Amino acid sequence: MWRVVRRRLTARRTTRPDLAAHERLTLRFLRWVWHWDRRHPDFAGEIRSRAGDTPVLIARGRDGVEKLLEAAQIPR
């Protein structure tokens, strides 16, 4: 939750290129984020079941993303 709020506060007066121009931090959106895990308890399984032969890698948190990028030798 904190990452969502922080991301929005740091981009207060700009439009993020990865989101629509009408992005707003609303109570409805915060509730949606807060309840995500309850609505998708096996999100990785959902994605893997639809991926077919495509490998699915899961990175949890910033450290996980950093390790994944390092293992894939992708520059940051």
Side-chain angles (χ1 to χ4, degrees):
M1 181 65 73
W2 168 243
R3 291 176 69 186
V4 170
V5 173
R6 185 184 68 201
R7 187 170 51 235
R8 184 61 194 132
L9 291 175
T10 58
R12 264 182 33 214
R13 296 209 164 108
T14 62
T15 300
R16 288 185 42 206
D18 57 332
L19 293 175
H22 62 277
E23 175 192 21
R24 290 212 168 85
L25 189 60
T26 64
L27 184 56
R28 181 178 178 191
F29 177 67
L30 291 174
R31 282 187 189 135
W32 181 83
V33 171
W34 186 262
H35 294 290
W36 171 264
D37 287 340
R38 280 187 225 150
R39 289 192 310 270
H40 302 280
D42 187 24
F43 182 67
E46 292 174 32
I47 297 299
R48 285 188 175 109
S49 71
R50 297 177 182 161
D53 294 334
T54 304
V56 175
L57 304 173
I58 305 297
R60 298 189 187 276
R62 177 169 271 170
D63 290 341
V65 171
E66 292 293 328
K67 288 177 185 176
L68 180 64
L69 293 174
E70 185 177 303
Q73 298 179 357
I74 298 173
R76 295 178 275 299

